[in-house]
Amino acid sequence: MMMTTKSKKSAEAAKAGAQGVRVATYTEKSFCVFGDTYPIRKMLKAAKLGYNPGLKCGPGWLGSNKRKEAILQLLGVQLETLTEAELIAIGEQRRAESEQQKADQ
């Protein structure tokens, strides 16, 4: 049985939510999607989110709050309410993990 494009995207999004994709409030007018977003990057781009490697939380995608509910539904995840300090701590941890992986290779 062939999977339709829409159901394939839904399956990818559900899988992404299970693989550690996180959505958090970034500023008063925006939200960020971060974590293992590589498998769903085309879907996020199609949803008009912008990739930014220099976010407080590490590399991720930014979007206007106008799109937040649609993205939360699409990914099947809950919005996290994190403080700026928590976002920065997450970013530092992700950068350290990335450096460790580079050093291990």
Side-chain angles (χ1 to χ4, degrees), residues 2-19 21 39-40 43 73-76:
M2 189 164 178
M3 204 181 249
T4 64
T5 304
K6 187 169 184 155
S7 64
K8 185 176 179 183
K9 286 183 179 181
S10 298
E12 287 175 4
K15 187 177 173 185
Q19 291 181 347
V21 173
I40 58 167
M43 188 182 340
Q73 251 186 348
L74 181 67
L75 297 178

Side-chain angles (χ1 to χ4, degrees), residues 54-96:
L55 297 177
K56 298 172 199 168
C57 56
W61 296 79
L62 275 180
S64 165
N65 280 344
K66 295 174 187 174
R67 294 182 172 82
K68 181 169 54 180
E69 290 305 317
I71 295 297
L72 289 171
Q73 251 186 348
L74 181 67
L75 297 178
V77 296
Q78 297 289 322
L79 179 70
E80 296 183 44
T81 306
L82 303 171
T83 65
E84 186 171 353
E86 290 172 322
L87 284 172
I88 292 169
I90 290 168
E92 289 173 355
Q93 179 183 358
R94 291 179 67 207
R95 287 180 192 90

Side-chain angles (χ1 to χ4, degrees), residues 18 28 31 35 38 45 47-48 52 54 56 60 72 89-90 93:
E28 190 176 300
F31 69 97
Y38 188 80
K45 189 172 183 173
K48 300 191 185 210
N52 187 332
K56 298 172 199 168
L72 289 171
I90 290 168
Q93 179 183 358

